[in-house]
Amino acid sequence: METAGVIILAGLIIAAVYTSGVSSTFNEGVRQMVCLVNGPGCGEQTWVDEERPDEPEEFEWGTGNSNLSDNKNLGMQAAAADPYNWTDQEWTCLDSLWSQMSSWDPNLVDPTTGARGIVGFNPALHGSMPDGFQGSATAQINWGLNYIQESYGTPCSAWRYWQSTKTY
């Protein structure tokens, strides 16, 4: 019963505010604040009349990779071959790592960190970019496997490090 009373009271207050003109006073105050920053709604045009700007382009990390399965196959074959022989759990860790880094996109550039490609190569951390690296899934995978082996020993060690730092 109390809830119904509160709802009815709230409805009456809203109706009173709407009919009293307080809402138009509030709306006029907002319009004047917008006019202070030269926004739409000043003068004769309103925001609805004004041509709305285009939606900003959204950047989604790791999307738009049309070669995802091909790149994963290249990675799986290279990881399973000598000298790595990484299969099963090590492959799962490698897939998790590079899926998080880039979704296996060789053309990706992270605008925040500068990391590039499938493996997240960062010139600021890793030195100059190897020849043929840019846009080449094979070159990136080969570099990444070698980097993981030299720096972490195995993909699972690199994945554990990445999970705690979001870098490797």
Side-chain angles (χ1 to χ4, degrees), residues 4 17 28 43 47 51 69 81-82 87 97 103 108 117 130 140 150-151 158:
V17 167
E28 179 60 24
W47 176 256
E51 183 177 322
S69 61
D82 283 334
T87 58
L97 176 64
S103 193
L108 195 68
Q140 292 175 21
E150 288 181 1
S151 301

Side-chain angles (χ1 to χ4, degrees), residues 8 11 13-14 21 30-31 44-45 52 59 61-62 64 72 95 101 106 112 115 124 146 155 165:
I8 291 171
I13 292 171
I14 291 170
V30 170
R31 190 191 72 72
E44 295 179 18
Q45 286 189 329
R52 292 178 186 242
F59 176 80
W61 176 252
K72 279 189 174 190
D95 182 33
M101 288 296 300
T112 305
N146 185 56
T165 65

Side-chain angles (χ1 to χ4, degrees), residues 135-160:
S136 170
T138 302
Q140 292 175 21
I141 290 166
N142 289 336
W143 181 89
L145 294 174
N146 185 56
Y147 175 76
I148 288 171
Q149 185 179 48
E150 288 181 1
S151 301
Y152 299 95
T154 66
C156 287
S157 294
W159 173 235
R160 281 190 296 276

Side-chain angles (χ1 to χ4, degrees), residues 19-61:
T19 58
S20 71
V22 173
S23 63
S24 63
T25 304
F26 175 78
N27 289 340
E28 179 60 24
V30 170
R31 190 191 72 72
Q32 288 176 5
M33 285 188 280
V34 169
C35 287
L36 290 175
V37 294
N38 296 322
C42 298
E44 295 179 18
Q45 286 189 329
T46 66
W47 176 256
V48 176
D49 298 327
E50 187 79 19
E51 183 177 322
R52 292 178 186 242
D54 294 334
E55 288 288 321
E57 184 176 325
E58 290 185 26
F59 176 80
E60 290 193 31
W61 176 252

